Amino acid sequence: MGHGGHEIGSHKVAHFFGFAFNMDTLYMTWMVMAIVIVLAILAVRRLETVPRGMQNAFEMAIEAIGGQVDATIGPNSRKVAPLLITLFVFLLTSNWLGLVPGFTSPTNDLNTTLGLALMIIGFVHVLGVGHHGLSHFKHFIQPHPLFLPINIIEEIARPITLSFRLFGNIMAGEILIILIAALPLYYGEPLVGVLWLGFSVIVGLIQAFIFTMLSTSYLSNSLKEEHH
Amino acid sequence: MVELNATLIAQIINFLLLAYILKKFVFGKVLQAMSDRQARIAGSIESADRERAAAEELKREYQEQLAQARTQAQTIVEKATKLAEQAKDDIIKEARAEHARLMKEAQEEIARERERAVAELRNEVVSLSIAAAGKIIGQNLDANANAKLVSDFINNLDGQKIGGVQ
Protein backbone atom coordinates (compact mmCIF):
# COMPACT_ATOMS: atom_id res chain seq x y z
CA MET A 1 0.00 0.00 0.00
CA GLY A 2 0.98 3.64 -0.05
CA HIS A 3 3.62 5.44 1.86
CA GLY A 4 3.08 7.61 4.88
CA GLY A 5 -0.14 8.14 6.80
CA HIS A 6 -2.35 5.20 7.42
CA GLU A 7 -1.48 2.07 5.54
CA ILE A 8 -4.46 -0.16 5.19
CA GLY A 9 -3.80 -3.86 5.35
CA SER A 10 -0.04 -3.53 5.38
CA HIS A 11 1.78 -4.69 8.44
CA LYS A 12 5.12 -4.05 10.02
CA VAL A 13 6.63 -7.48 9.84
CA ALA A 14 9.33 -8.62 12.23
CA HIS A 15 11.16 -11.90 12.15
CA PHE A 16 11.95 -13.95 15.21
CA PHE A 17 13.47 -17.41 15.04
CA GLY A 18 12.61 -17.55 11.37
CA PHE A 19 8.94 -16.77 11.95
CA ALA A 20 7.23 -13.66 10.63
CA PHE A 21 5.09 -11.61 13.02
CA ASN A 22 2.86 -8.65 12.24
CA MET A 23 4.08 -6.41 15.02
CA ASP A 24 1.33 -3.77 14.69
CA THR A 25 -1.34 -6.46 15.09
CA LEU A 26 0.46 -7.84 18.11
CA TYR A 27 0.84 -4.41 19.70
CA MET A 28 -2.82 -3.71 19.20
CA THR A 29 -3.71 -7.13 20.57
CA TRP A 30 -1.66 -6.53 23.68
CA MET A 31 -3.31 -3.19 24.07
CA VAL A 32 -6.72 -4.84 23.81
CA MET A 33 -5.66 -7.44 26.36
CA ALA A 34 -4.40 -4.70 28.69
CA ILE A 35 -7.64 -2.73 28.32
CA VAL A 36 -9.79 -5.80 28.94
CA ILE A 37 -7.76 -6.90 31.94
CA VAL A 38 -7.62 -3.42 33.49
CA LEU A 39 -11.37 -2.87 32.98
CA ALA A 40 -12.18 -6.34 34.29
CA ILE A 41 -10.03 -5.90 37.36
CA LEU A 42 -11.48 -2.43 37.95
CA ALA A 43 -14.91 -4.01 37.61
CA VAL A 44 -14.29 -6.70 40.19
CA ARG A 45 -11.98 -4.77 42.51
CA ARG A 46 -14.81 -3.92 44.84
CA LEU A 47 -17.65 -6.28 44.08
CA GLU A 48 -20.88 -4.99 45.47
CA THR A 49 -24.16 -6.70 46.00
CA VAL A 50 -25.85 -3.90 44.13
CA PRO A 51 -23.63 -3.53 41.05
CA ARG A 52 -22.60 -0.11 39.78
CA GLY A 53 -20.64 1.27 36.89
CA MET A 54 -18.03 -1.08 35.45
CA GLN A 55 -19.21 -4.01 37.50
CA ASN A 56 -22.68 -3.55 36.09
CA ALA A 57 -21.41 -3.37 32.50
CA PHE A 58 -19.23 -6.40 33.00
CA GLU A 59 -22.00 -8.39 34.60
CA MET A 60 -24.30 -7.43 31.75
CA ALA A 61 -21.81 -8.81 29.22
CA ILE A 62 -21.33 -11.96 31.24
CA GLU A 63 -25.03 -12.46 31.66
CA ALA A 64 -25.92 -11.68 28.05
CA ILE A 65 -23.29 -13.98 26.54
CA GLY A 66 -23.42 -16.53 29.35
CA GLY A 67 -27.21 -16.70 29.02
CA GLN A 68 -26.95 -17.33 25.26
CA VAL A 69 -24.25 -19.93 25.82
CA ASP A 70 -26.35 -21.61 28.49
CA ALA A 71 -29.40 -21.65 26.24
CA THR A 72 -27.45 -23.07 23.29
CA ILE A 73 -25.23 -25.61 24.99
CA GLY A 74 -27.17 -26.60 28.07
CA PRO A 75 -25.78 -28.14 31.22
CA ASN A 76 -22.19 -28.43 29.97
CA SER A 77 -21.97 -24.74 29.15
CA ARG A 78 -19.86 -23.99 32.26
CA LYS A 79 -16.85 -25.61 30.58
CA VAL A 80 -16.78 -23.14 27.70
CA ALA A 81 -18.66 -20.10 28.99
CA PRO A 82 -15.53 -18.29 30.27
CA LEU A 83 -13.85 -18.88 26.92
CA LEU A 84 -16.81 -17.57 24.94
CA ILE A 85 -17.37 -14.57 27.20
CA THR A 86 -13.69 -13.72 26.87
CA LEU A 87 -14.01 -14.15 23.11
CA PHE A 88 -16.87 -11.67 22.98
CA VAL A 89 -15.17 -9.10 25.20
CA PHE A 90 -11.92 -9.48 23.29
CA LEU A 91 -13.56 -9.12 19.88
CA LEU A 92 -15.72 -6.20 20.96
CA THR A 93 -12.74 -4.31 22.37
CA SER A 94 -10.67 -5.18 19.28
CA ASN A 95 -13.36 -4.00 16.88
CA TRP A 96 -13.89 -0.76 18.75
CA LEU A 97 -10.20 -0.02 19.23
CA GLY A 98 -9.86 0.51 15.47
CA LEU A 99 -12.39 3.34 15.69
CA VAL A 100 -10.05 5.35 17.90
CA PRO A 101 -7.85 7.57 15.72
CA GLY A 102 -4.29 6.30 15.59
CA PHE A 103 -5.23 2.73 16.49
CA THR A 104 -6.19 -0.26 14.40
CA SER A 105 -8.28 -3.28 15.21
CA PRO A 106 -6.39 -6.53 15.77
CA THR A 107 -9.36 -8.05 13.97
CA ASN A 108 -8.45 -6.25 10.75
CA ASP A 109 -5.71 -8.85 10.41
CA LEU A 110 -6.82 -12.20 9.03
CA ASN A 111 -4.19 -13.82 11.22
CA THR A 112 -6.24 -12.83 14.25
CA THR A 113 -9.64 -13.88 12.99
CA LEU A 114 -8.52 -17.08 11.33
CA GLY A 115 -6.42 -17.93 14.35
CA LEU A 116 -9.42 -17.55 16.64
CA ALA A 117 -11.68 -19.45 14.25
CA LEU A 118 -9.21 -22.34 13.96
CA MET A 119 -8.85 -22.31 17.74
CA ILE A 120 -12.62 -22.64 18.10
CA ILE A 121 -12.75 -25.49 15.56
CA GLY A 122 -9.88 -27.11 17.44
CA PHE A 123 -11.89 -26.82 20.67
CA VAL A 124 -14.91 -28.29 18.90
CA HIS A 125 -12.99 -31.46 18.10
CA VAL A 126 -11.00 -31.66 21.33
CA LEU A 127 -14.10 -31.23 23.47
CA GLY A 128 -16.09 -33.52 21.15
CA VAL A 129 -13.59 -36.32 21.52
CA GLY A 130 -13.28 -35.67 25.23
CA HIS A 131 -17.02 -35.80 25.63
CA HIS A 132 -18.07 -38.51 23.20
CA GLY A 133 -14.86 -40.38 22.44
CA LEU A 134 -14.12 -41.34 18.87
CA SER A 135 -17.82 -41.48 18.07
CA HIS A 136 -17.49 -37.70 17.88
CA PHE A 137 -16.29 -38.10 14.29
CA LYS A 138 -19.39 -40.03 13.35
CA HIS A 139 -21.08 -36.79 12.37
CA PHE A 140 -18.88 -36.72 9.24
CA ILE A 141 -20.80 -39.66 7.80
CA GLN A 142 -24.26 -38.58 8.85
CA PRO A 143 -26.97 -38.83 7.76
CA HIS A 144 -25.24 -41.17 5.23
CA PRO A 145 -21.60 -41.95 4.35
CA LEU A 146 -22.22 -40.33 0.98
CA PHE A 147 -22.39 -37.01 2.79
CA LEU A 148 -18.73 -37.28 3.81
CA PRO A 149 -17.44 -34.85 1.15
CA ILE A 150 -20.16 -32.30 1.97
CA ASN A 151 -19.47 -32.61 5.67
CA ILE A 152 -15.74 -32.14 5.10
CA ILE A 153 -16.39 -29.05 3.01
CA GLU A 154 -18.67 -27.73 5.74
CA GLU A 155 -15.98 -28.37 8.29
CA ILE A 156 -13.48 -26.42 6.25
CA ALA A 157 -15.98 -23.68 5.46
CA ARG A 158 -16.70 -23.03 9.11
CA PRO A 159 -13.42 -21.40 10.12
CA ILE A 160 -13.10 -19.67 6.77
CA THR A 161 -16.54 -18.05 6.90
CA LEU A 162 -16.17 -17.30 10.59
CA SER A 163 -12.84 -15.54 10.13
CA PHE A 164 -13.50 -13.80 6.81
CA ARG A 165 -16.82 -12.38 7.96
CA LEU A 166 -15.23 -10.62 10.92
CA PHE A 167 -12.07 -9.69 9.08
CA GLY A 168 -13.98 -8.31 6.10
CA ASN A 169 -16.38 -6.25 8.17
CA ILE A 170 -13.73 -4.66 10.35
CA MET A 171 -11.29 -4.17 7.48
CA ALA A 172 -13.94 -2.57 5.30
CA GLY A 173 -15.06 -0.36 8.17
CA GLU A 174 -11.56 0.95 8.74
CA ILE A 175 -10.92 1.46 5.05
CA LEU A 176 -14.10 3.49 4.80
CA ILE A 177 -13.19 5.61 7.81
CA ILE A 178 -9.93 6.54 6.13
CA LEU A 179 -11.57 7.03 2.75
CA ILE A 180 -14.26 9.30 4.16
CA ALA A 181 -11.61 11.35 5.89
CA ALA A 182 -9.77 11.64 2.58
CA LEU A 183 -12.85 12.54 0.51
CA PRO A 184 -12.95 16.08 -0.84
CA LEU A 185 -16.30 16.82 0.79
CA TYR A 186 -16.45 20.33 2.18
CA TYR A 187 -19.75 20.26 4.01
CA GLY A 188 -20.89 16.69 4.39
CA GLU A 189 -17.62 15.16 5.48
CA PRO A 190 -17.90 15.50 9.27
CA LEU A 191 -21.49 14.32 9.16
CA VAL A 192 -20.70 11.33 6.97
CA GLY A 193 -17.67 10.53 9.06
CA VAL A 194 -19.63 10.64 12.31
CA LEU A 195 -22.45 8.60 10.83
CA TRP A 196 -20.03 5.97 9.61
CA LEU A 197 -18.25 5.91 12.96
CA GLY A 198 -21.57 5.35 14.72
CA PHE A 199 -22.43 2.64 12.26
CA SER A 200 -19.04 1.02 12.82
CA VAL A 201 -19.66 0.92 16.56
CA ILE A 202 -22.80 -1.11 15.88
CA VAL A 203 -21.03 -3.26 13.30
CA GLY A 204 -18.25 -3.98 15.80
CA LEU A 205 -20.79 -5.05 18.40
CA ILE A 206 -22.79 -7.17 15.96
CA GLN A 207 -19.75 -8.87 14.46
CA ALA A 208 -18.34 -9.69 17.89
CA PHE A 209 -21.71 -11.12 18.85
CA ILE A 210 -22.06 -13.13 15.62
CA PHE A 211 -18.58 -14.61 15.94
CA THR A 212 -19.25 -15.57 19.55
CA MET A 213 -22.68 -17.04 18.86
CA LEU A 214 -21.50 -19.08 15.88
CA SER A 215 -18.62 -20.39 17.96
CA THR A 216 -21.12 -21.28 20.66
CA SER A 217 -23.27 -23.12 18.19
CA TYR A 218 -20.28 -25.06 16.79
CA LEU A 219 -19.21 -25.96 20.31
CA SER A 220 -22.69 -26.96 21.36
CA ASN A 221 -22.65 -30.07 19.15
CA SER A 222 -19.53 -31.28 20.90
CA LEU A 223 -20.98 -30.86 24.35
CA LYS A 224 -24.56 -31.98 23.91
CA GLU A 225 -25.51 -35.27 25.47
CA GLU A 226 -26.87 -36.91 22.33
CA HIS A 227 -24.43 -36.47 19.51
CA HIS A 228 -25.34 -36.23 15.87
CA MET B 1 -2.52 -7.43 2.11
CA VAL B 2 -3.77 -10.77 3.35
CA GLU B 3 -0.79 -12.72 4.45
CA LEU B 4 -0.84 -15.52 6.92
CA ASN B 5 2.18 -15.92 9.10
CA ALA B 6 3.18 -16.80 12.64
CA THR B 7 0.97 -13.98 13.92
CA LEU B 8 -1.88 -16.48 13.68
CA ILE B 9 -0.29 -18.74 16.28
CA ALA B 10 0.69 -15.74 18.41
CA GLN B 11 -2.89 -14.49 18.39
CA ILE B 12 -4.21 -17.87 19.55
CA ILE B 13 -1.70 -17.83 22.40
CA ASN B 14 -2.55 -14.22 23.23
CA PHE B 15 -6.23 -15.01 23.36
CA LEU B 16 -5.80 -18.13 25.45
CA LEU B 17 -3.63 -16.14 27.84
CA LEU B 18 -6.33 -13.50 28.14
CA ALA B 19 -9.00 -16.16 28.66
CA TYR B 20 -6.87 -17.77 31.36
CA ILE B 21 -6.27 -14.48 33.18
CA LEU B 22 -9.94 -13.50 33.06
CA LYS B 23 -11.08 -16.94 34.18
CA LYS B 24 -8.62 -17.00 37.05
CA PHE B 25 -9.02 -13.44 38.35
CA VAL B 26 -12.38 -12.18 37.15
CA PHE B 27 -15.06 -14.68 36.24
CA GLY B 28 -14.87 -16.61 39.47
CA LYS B 29 -15.37 -13.46 41.52
CA VAL B 30 -18.10 -12.07 39.31
CA LEU B 31 -19.98 -15.34 39.13
CA GLN B 32 -19.66 -15.68 42.90
CA ALA B 33 -21.02 -12.17 43.39
CA MET B 34 -23.84 -12.85 40.96
CA SER B 35 -24.84 -16.10 42.60
CA ASP B 36 -24.60 -14.46 46.03
CA ARG B 37 -26.90 -11.74 44.84
CA GLN B 38 -29.26 -14.27 43.32
CA ALA B 39 -29.39 -16.14 46.62
CA ARG B 40 -29.97 -12.91 48.50
CA ILE B 41 -32.75 -11.80 46.20
CA ALA B 42 -34.36 -15.23 46.39
CA GLY B 43 -34.09 -15.03 50.19
CA SER B 44 -35.64 -11.57 50.22
CA ILE B 45 -38.50 -12.66 48.01
CA GLU B 46 -39.07 -15.73 50.12
CA SER B 47 -39.12 -13.77 53.38
CA ALA B 48 -41.40 -11.17 51.80
CA ASP B 49 -43.76 -13.96 50.77
CA ARG B 50 -43.63 -15.38 54.25
CA GLU B 51 -44.34 -12.02 55.84
CA ARG B 52 -47.19 -11.36 53.47
CA ALA B 53 -48.71 -14.74 54.27
CA ALA B 54 -48.41 -13.97 57.99
CA ALA B 55 -49.99 -10.55 57.48
CA GLU B 56 -52.85 -12.10 55.54
CA GLU B 57 -53.37 -14.66 58.27
CA LEU B 58 -53.44 -11.86 60.86
CA LYS B 59 -55.89 -9.88 58.76
CA ARG B 60 -58.14 -12.91 58.38
CA GLU B 61 -58.06 -13.40 62.16
CA TYR B 62 -58.92 -9.78 62.80
CA GLN B 63 -61.77 -9.92 60.35
CA GLU B 64 -63.08 -13.04 62.03
CA GLN B 65 -62.86 -11.37 65.42
CA LEU B 66 -64.53 -8.27 64.08
CA ALA B 67 -67.38 -10.30 62.64
CA GLN B 68 -67.72 -12.13 65.93
CA ALA B 69 -67.74 -8.86 67.84
CA ARG B 70 -70.38 -7.49 65.52
CA THR B 71 -72.59 -10.53 66.04
CA GLN B 72 -72.16 -10.24 69.79
CA ALA B 73 -72.99 -6.56 69.75
CA GLN B 74 -76.11 -7.25 67.75
CA THR B 75 -77.16 -9.94 70.20
CA ILE B 76 -76.60 -7.58 73.09
CA VAL B 77 -78.59 -4.82 71.46
CA GLU B 78 -81.42 -7.22 70.65
CA LYS B 79 -81.50 -8.49 74.21
CA ALA B 80 -81.49 -4.94 75.59
CA THR B 81 -84.28 -3.92 73.23
CA LYS B 82 -86.34 -6.90 74.30
CA LEU B 83 -85.74 -6.11 77.97
CA ALA B 84 -86.69 -2.48 77.43
CA GLU B 85 -89.91 -3.54 75.66
CA GLN B 86 -90.68 -5.82 78.53
CA ALA B 87 -90.00 -3.09 81.07
CA LYS B 88 -92.15 -0.66 79.12
CA ASP B 89 -95.06 -3.11 78.98
CA ASP B 90 -94.73 -3.83 82.69
CA ILE B 91 -94.64 -0.15 83.58
CA ILE B 92 -97.64 0.60 81.40
CA LYS B 93 -99.61 -2.31 82.87
CA GLU B 94 -98.74 -1.23 86.40
CA ALA B 95 -99.66 2.34 85.65
CA ARG B 96 -103.01 1.23 84.25
CA ALA B 97 -103.69 -0.87 87.33
CA GLU B 98 -102.71 1.98 89.62
CA HIS B 99 -104.87 4.32 87.66
CA ALA B 100 -107.84 2.01 87.91
CA ARG B 101 -107.32 1.49 91.64
CA LEU B 102 -107.06 5.23 92.28
CA MET B 103 -110.17 5.88 90.22
CA LYS B 104 -112.08 3.28 92.18
CA GLU B 105 -110.89 4.62 95.51
CA ALA B 106 -111.77 8.16 94.52
CA GLN B 107 -115.26 7.14 93.44
CA GLU B 108 -115.78 5.22 96.65
CA GLU B 109 -114.57 8.22 98.65
CA ILE B 110 -116.92 10.51 96.77
CA ALA B 111 -119.83 8.16 97.33
CA ARG B 112 -119.04 7.87 101.01
CA GLU B 113 -118.75 11.65 101.44
CA ARG B 114 -122.01 12.18 99.66
CA GLU B 115 -123.80 9.62 101.81
CA ARG B 116 -122.46 11.26 104.93
CA ALA B 117 -123.37 14.67 103.67
CA VAL B 118 -126.91 13.48 102.88
CA ALA B 119 -127.25 11.89 106.33
CA GLU B 120 -126.05 15.08 108.00
CA LEU B 121 -128.32 17.20 105.92
CA ARG B 122 -131.25 14.95 106.70
CA ASN B 123 -130.65 15.20 110.42
CA GLU B 124 -130.34 18.95 110.14
CA VAL B 125 -133.54 19.19 108.17
CA VAL B 126 -135.35 17.05 110.74
CA SER B 127 -134.16 19.23 113.61
CA LEU B 128 -134.99 22.42 111.77
CA SER B 129 -138.40 21.10 110.73
CA ILE B 130 -139.25 20.13 114.27
CA ALA B 131 -138.10 23.44 115.62
CA ALA B 132 -140.06 25.25 112.96
CA ALA B 133 -143.16 23.10 113.44
CA GLY B 134 -142.95 23.58 117.26
CA LYS B 135 -142.79 27.29 116.81
CA ILE B 136 -145.65 27.25 114.34
CA ILE B 137 -148.03 25.14 116.35
CA GLY B 138 -146.94 26.68 119.61
CA GLN B 139 -146.73 23.51 121.52
CA ASN B 140 -143.93 21.27 122.35
CA LEU B 141 -144.51 17.87 121.09
CA ASP B 142 -142.78 14.85 122.27
CA ALA B 143 -139.38 15.25 120.60
CA ASN B 144 -138.93 11.61 119.61
CA ALA B 145 -142.36 11.36 118.19
CA ASN B 146 -141.77 14.49 116.18
CA ALA B 147 -138.50 13.32 114.83
CA LYS B 148 -140.10 10.10 113.75
CA LEU B 149 -142.84 11.98 112.06
CA VAL B 150 -140.56 14.28 110.08
CA SER B 151 -138.16 11.53 109.18
CA ASP B 152 -140.93 9.45 107.75
CA PHE B 153 -142.12 12.43 105.84
CA ILE B 154 -138.71 13.05 104.33
CA ASN B 155 -138.22 9.40 103.44
CA ASN B 156 -141.41 9.57 101.55
CA LEU B 157 -140.16 12.47 99.50
CA ASP B 158 -138.99 11.88 96.06
CA GLY B 159 -135.33 10.79 96.35
CA GLN B 160 -134.30 12.97 93.42
CA LYS B 161 -135.20 16.13 95.20
CA ILE B 162 -132.27 15.75 97.54
CA GLY B 163 -129.63 14.61 95.06
CA GLY B 164 -130.64 11.01 94.31
CA VAL B 165 -128.86 9.28 97.12
CA GLN B 166 -129.27 5.53 96.81
Side-chain angles (χ1 to χ4, degrees):
Chain A
M1 296 289 290
H3 298 282
H6 208 294
E7 298 178 5
I8 301 163
S10 71
H11 296 288
K12 297 186 189 82
V13 182
H15 293 270
F16 297 104
F17 311 111
F19 294 110
F21 294 95
N22 295 341
M23 290 319 289
D24 49 344
T25 304
L26 287 180
Y27 291 147
M28 288 300 145
T29 305
W30 292 332
M31 173 157 275
V32 168
M33 290 167 70
I35 291 171
V36 169
I37 289 169
V38 166
L39 287 183
I41 285 173
L42 279 182
V44 299
R45 196 185 40 176
R46 274 201 327 267
L47 283 177
E48 289 172 41
T49 313
V50 179
R52 279 186 312 187
M54 279 306 297
Q55 188 190 343
N56 210 354
F58 213 74
E59 281 191 14
M60 266 168 69
I62 288 182
E63 253 186 284
I65 303 299
Q68 290 284 342
V69 172
D70 257 350
T72 312
I73 295 180
N76 288 319
S77 65
R78 287 197 161 271
K79 287 181 191 165
V80 291
L83 186 84
L84 290 165
I85 294 168
T86 308
L87 183 64
F88 176 74
V89 175
F90 176 77
L91 290 179
L92 186 67
T93 314
S94 297
N95 294 347
W96 282 352
L97 186 67
L99 305 178
V100 181
F103 294 91
T104 55
S105 297
T107 39
N108 81 356
D109 187 339
L110 188 61
N111 285 296
T112 307
T113 60
L114 187 60
L116 292 177
L118 287 174
M119 178 196 75
I120 292 294
I121 300 302
F123 271 117
V124 166
H125 292 296
V126 169
L127 288 173
V129 171
H131 205 67
H132 304 289
L134 285 180
S135 68
H136 164 71
F137 294 106
K138 263 201 282 186
H139 73 87
F140 278 109
I141 52 165
Q142 274 171 354
H144 190 273
L146 278 181
F147 279 74
L148 180 62
I150 294 176
N151 283 329
I152 288 174
I153 290 171
E154 190 196 359
E155 202 63 30
I156 295 169
R158 276 180 177 181
I160 294 176
T161 54
L162 200 56
S163 56
F164 271 82
R165 180 184 303 109
L166 180 58
F167 165 69
N169 269 286
I170 301 308
M171 186 67 167
E174 291 188 7
I175 290 174
L176 260 174
I177 286 175
I178 292 160
L179 281 184
I180 288 169
L183 276 179
L185 296 173
Y186 295 111
Y187 305 110
E189 197 220 291
L191 178 68
V192 175
V194 166
L195 279 180
W196 181 250
L197 262 182
F199 186 67
S200 295
V201 168
I202 296 170
V203 167
L205 173 66
I206 289 173
Q207 290 305 323
F209 188 74
I210 289 175
F211 195 103
T212 310
M213 282 304 107
L214 284 173
S215 303
T216 307
S217 126
Y218 296 158
L219 283 167
S220 75
N221 279 339
S222 305
L223 289 169
K224 273 187 179 150
E225 289 309 328
E226 76 275 52
H227 191 58
H228 334 273
Chain B
M1 171 169 170
V2 178
E3 287 161 19
L4 294 178
N5 54 28
T7 314
L8 191 149
I9 308 295
Q11 291 296 68
I12 293 177
I13 293 167
N14 278 334
F15 176 77
L16 289 177
L17 187 66
L18 178 66
Y20 174 78
I21 291 171
L22 288 189
K23 187 177 154 73
K24 191 161 172 68
F25 297 107
V26 176
F27 290 136
K29 277 186 179 175
V30 174
L31 290 176
Q32 186 59 45
M34 282 163 81
S35 73
D36 283 356
R37 177 162 61 237
Q38 210 169 8
R40 198 170 142 179
I41 290 170
S44 301
I45 290 173
E46 200 184 318
S47 77
D49 279 350
R50 235 186 356 252
E51 272 158 30
R52 200 179 50 205
E56 253 160 39
E57 173 68 20
L58 211 61
K59 188 181 155 200
R60 203 181 52 74
E61 250 169 51
Y62 282 155
Q63 277 175 339
E64 232 166 58
Q65 284 176 356
L66 199 66
Q68 228 170 322
R70 240 179 230 148
T71 319
Q72 275 178 354
Q74 207 166 357
T75 316
I76 289 169
V77 169
E78 266 169 24
K79 217 183 271 175
T81 313
K82 216 188 280 176
L83 271 176
E85 285 290 329
Q86 185 86 40
K88 189 184 93 181
D89 287 351
D90 284 355
I91 289 168
I92 289 175
K93 213 168 13 175
E94 238 169 73
R96 284 218 178 100
E98 182 74 7
H99 171 243
R101 194 178 59 79
L102 284 177
M103 279 290 271
K104 199 164 150 232
E105 264 178 22
Q107 276 171 351
E108 279 169 3
E109 183 73 23
I110 290 166
R112 253 199 320 277
E113 285 296 315
R114 177 179 280 169
E115 239 168 74
R116 215 178 58 217
V118 167
E120 263 175 29
L121 191 62
R122 185 187 289 163
N123 286 344
E124 200 75 9
V125 168
V126 169
S127 311
L128 281 175
S129 303
I130 290 170
K135 275 210 173 130
I136 289 165
I137 58 178
Q139 65 182 97
N140 206 1
L141 293 173
D142 174 58
N144 283 338
N146 285 348
K148 176 86 169 68
L149 194 69
V150 176
S151 190
D152 285 349
F153 168 74
I154 290 167
N155 279 345
N156 286 341
L157 286 173
D158 191 348
Q160 280 179 347
K161 283 185 179 165
I162 54 168
V165 175
Q166 310 297 309

Short mmCIF file of all heavy atoms in Angstrom, two decimals, chain B residues 8 20 29 32 52 54 58 67 72-73 86 89-90 96 113 125 154:
data_model
loop_
_atom_site.label_atom_id
_atom_site.label_comp_id
_atom_site.label_asym_id
_atom_site.label_seq_id
_atom_site.Cartn_x
_atom_site.Cartn_y
_atom_site.Cartn_z
N LEU B 8 -0.69 -15.66 13.41
CA LEU B 8 -1.88 -16.48 13.68
C LEU B 8 -1.70 -17.28 14.97
O LEU B 8 -2.56 -17.25 15.86
CB LEU B 8 -2.09 -17.40 12.48
CG LEU B 8 -3.40 -18.18 12.38
CD1 LEU B 8 -3.76 -18.37 10.92
CD2 LEU B 8 -3.29 -19.53 13.06
N TYR B 20 -7.35 -17.19 30.10
CA TYR B 20 -6.87 -17.77 31.36
C TYR B 20 -6.87 -16.73 32.47
O TYR B 20 -7.37 -16.98 33.58
CB TYR B 20 -5.47 -18.36 31.16
CG TYR B 20 -4.86 -18.86 32.44
CD1 TYR B 20 -5.26 -20.09 32.98
CD2 TYR B 20 -3.91 -18.11 33.12
CE1 TYR B 20 -4.72 -20.55 34.17
CE2 TYR B 20 -3.37 -18.56 34.31
CZ TYR B 20 -3.76 -19.78 34.82
OH TYR B 20 -3.24 -20.22 36.00
N LYS B 29 -14.86 -14.46 40.59
CA LYS B 29 -15.37 -13.46 41.52
C LYS B 29 -16.75 -12.96 41.10
O LYS B 29 -17.66 -12.85 41.91
CB LYS B 29 -14.41 -12.27 41.57
CG LYS B 29 -13.24 -12.47 42.51
CD LYS B 29 -12.48 -11.15 42.55
CE LYS B 29 -11.29 -11.22 43.48
NZ LYS B 29 -10.53 -9.95 43.39
N GLN B 32 -19.36 -15.52 41.48
CA GLN B 32 -19.66 -15.68 42.90
C GLN B 32 -20.58 -14.55 43.37
O GLN B 32 -21.60 -14.78 44.02
CB GLN B 32 -18.34 -15.67 43.70
CG GLN B 32 -18.51 -15.97 45.19
CD GLN B 32 -19.13 -17.33 45.41
OE1 GLN B 32 -18.75 -18.31 44.78
NE2 GLN B 32 -20.11 -17.39 46.29
N ARG B 52 -45.88 -11.68 54.02
CA ARG B 52 -47.19 -11.36 53.47
C ARG B 52 -48.22 -12.41 53.90
O ARG B 52 -49.35 -12.07 54.26
CB ARG B 52 -47.12 -11.28 51.96
CG ARG B 52 -48.29 -10.49 51.40
CD ARG B 52 -48.23 -10.38 49.90
NE ARG B 52 -48.02 -11.68 49.30
CZ ARG B 52 -47.46 -11.86 48.11
NH1 ARG B 52 -47.05 -10.84 47.44
NH2 ARG B 52 -47.29 -13.07 47.63
N ALA B 54 -48.11 -14.18 56.57
CA ALA B 54 -48.41 -13.97 57.99
C ALA B 54 -49.38 -12.80 58.15
O ALA B 54 -50.33 -12.87 58.93
CB ALA B 54 -47.11 -13.68 58.75
N LEU B 58 -53.06 -12.77 59.78
CA LEU B 58 -53.44 -11.86 60.86
C LEU B 58 -54.72 -11.10 60.48
O LEU B 58 -55.64 -10.95 61.29
CB LEU B 58 -52.29 -10.87 61.07
CG LEU B 58 -52.10 -10.35 62.48
CD1 LEU B 58 -51.79 -11.52 63.41
CD2 LEU B 58 -50.94 -9.37 62.51
N ALA B 67 -66.06 -9.76 62.95
CA ALA B 67 -67.38 -10.30 62.64
C ALA B 67 -68.03 -10.86 63.90
O ALA B 67 -69.22 -10.62 64.17
CB ALA B 67 -67.25 -11.39 61.58
N GLN B 72 -71.90 -10.35 68.35
CA GLN B 72 -72.16 -10.24 69.79
C GLN B 72 -72.87 -8.93 70.10
O GLN B 72 -73.85 -8.89 70.86
CB GLN B 72 -70.85 -10.30 70.55
CG GLN B 72 -70.41 -11.74 70.83
CD GLN B 72 -69.08 -11.76 71.55
OE1 GLN B 72 -68.46 -10.72 71.74
NE2 GLN B 72 -68.67 -12.95 71.96
N ALA B 73 -72.39 -7.87 69.49
CA ALA B 73 -72.99 -6.56 69.75
C ALA B 73 -74.46 -6.57 69.36
O ALA B 73 -75.32 -6.05 70.07
CB ALA B 73 -72.24 -5.50 68.96
N GLN B 86 -90.06 -5.14 77.41
CA GLN B 86 -90.68 -5.82 78.53
C GLN B 86 -90.96 -4.83 79.66
O GLN B 86 -92.08 -4.75 80.18
CB GLN B 86 -89.72 -6.92 79.03
CG GLN B 86 -90.27 -7.80 80.11
CD GLN B 86 -91.06 -8.95 79.49
OE1 GLN B 86 -90.63 -9.51 78.49
NE2 GLN B 86 -92.20 -9.26 80.06
N ASP B 89 -93.74 -2.47 78.84
CA ASP B 89 -95.06 -3.11 78.98
C ASP B 89 -95.45 -3.21 80.45
O ASP B 89 -96.59 -2.89 80.84
CB ASP B 89 -95.03 -4.50 78.36
CG ASP B 89 -95.00 -4.41 76.84
OD1 ASP B 89 -95.18 -3.28 76.33
OD2 ASP B 89 -94.79 -5.45 76.17
N ASP B 90 -94.46 -3.66 81.26
CA ASP B 90 -94.73 -3.83 82.69
C ASP B 90 -95.16 -2.50 83.30
O ASP B 90 -96.17 -2.44 84.04
CB ASP B 90 -93.49 -4.34 83.41
CG ASP B 90 -93.26 -5.81 83.14
OD1 ASP B 90 -94.14 -6.42 82.46
OD2 ASP B 90 -92.22 -6.35 83.57
N ARG B 96 -101.57 1.38 84.50
CA ARG B 96 -103.01 1.23 84.25
C ARG B 96 -103.71 0.72 85.51
O ARG B 96 -104.78 1.22 85.91
CB ARG B 96 -103.22 0.24 83.10
CG ARG B 96 -102.91 0.86 81.75
CD ARG B 96 -103.90 0.37 80.67
NE ARG B 96 -103.59 1.04 79.42
CZ ARG B 96 -102.89 0.48 78.43
NH1 ARG B 96 -102.48 -0.78 78.55
NH2 ARG B 96 -102.64 1.16 77.35
N GLU B 113 -118.60 10.25 101.02
CA GLU B 113 -118.75 11.65 101.44
C GLU B 113 -120.17 12.10 101.19
O GLU B 113 -120.80 12.74 102.05
CB GLU B 113 -117.77 12.54 100.66
CG GLU B 113 -116.34 12.43 101.13
CD GLU B 113 -116.17 12.91 102.55
OE1 GLU B 113 -116.72 13.97 102.91
OE2 GLU B 113 -115.47 12.22 103.32
N VAL B 125 -132.19 18.85 108.63
CA VAL B 125 -133.54 19.19 108.17
C VAL B 125 -134.58 18.75 109.19
O VAL B 125 -135.53 19.48 109.50
CB VAL B 125 -133.81 18.54 106.81
CG1 VAL B 125 -135.28 18.64 106.45
CG2 VAL B 125 -132.95 19.22 105.73
N ILE B 154 -139.81 12.84 105.27
CA ILE B 154 -138.71 13.05 104.33
C ILE B 154 -138.46 11.80 103.53
O ILE B 154 -138.25 11.85 102.32
CB ILE B 154 -137.47 13.50 105.08
CG1 ILE B 154 -137.69 14.93 105.59
CG2 ILE B 154 -136.22 13.44 104.19
CD1 ILE B 154 -136.69 15.38 106.59
#
